[in-house]
Amino acid sequence: MNLSQSDWKKQLNEDNNAVILDVRTQQEWEEGIIPNAILNDIYKGQGFIYKLEELDKSKNYYVYCKAGARSSQACNIMKQMGFENTYNLDGGFMNWKGEVSIPEN
């Protein structure tokens, strides 16, 4: 499900079963993230799938990339794998007005 920036942020803040998933590249990740996000680069192909298989399908996943296309694709893949609740950040990180942090290496 695609959510606007404001709806994604509001719903995320009210969700105590939330996981934030960043599907960008390592290089994009290092430029800044939405706090508490976990990285799973969709360009890693089968590696991306393996990491998804390790995740708890009962959680609610808030997924983002730079502009919203990769995260939309990731949500579709996750749905096919049995994840019930995935929320794509419409417009992606480049339009994010919320808090940003620099990930620790």
Side-chain angles (χ1 to χ4, degrees):
M1 175 187 303
N2 290 325
L3 292 178
S4 69
Q5 296 271 330
S6 59
D7 288 347
W8 195 90
K9 184 177 180 183
K10 180 178 186 293
Q11 188 170 316
L12 173 63
N13 288 338
E14 296 170 355
D15 190 340
N16 61 7
N17 195 34
V19 176
I20 306 169
L21 188 62
D22 183 329
V23 298
R24 300 175 301 161
T25 65
Q26 179 76 34
Q27 184 177 359
E28 288 172 308
W29 164 266
E30 289 169 0
E31 293 169 3
I33 65 169
I34 295 173
N36 303 312
I38 57 173
L39 177 63
N40 187 3
D41 180 354
I42 194 168
Y43 288 151
K44 295 253 194 257
Q46 194 60 41
F48 173 73
I49 301 296
Y50 289 146
K51 275 193 166 178
L52 287 180
E53 288 171 345
E54 296 171 4
L55 299 176
D56 182 348
K57 290 186 173 72
S58 71
K59 301 277 187 194
N60 301 323
Y61 289 88
Y62 293 80
V63 188
Y64 72 94
C65 64
K66 183 174 181 179
R70 284 175 284 173
S71 50
S72 177
Q73 183 183 2
C75 287
N76 289 334
I77 292 167
M78 292 172 78
K79 283 274 189 220
Q80 291 170 4
M81 292 176 66
F83 290 85
E84 290 184 27
N85 298 311
T86 61
Y87 305 102
N88 179 44
L89 178 60
D90 204 25
F93 188 74
M94 67 183 191
N95 292 315
W96 179 248
K97 303 280 190 282
E99 192 179 341
V100 172
S101 63
I102 300 299
E104 297 176 18
N105 289 338

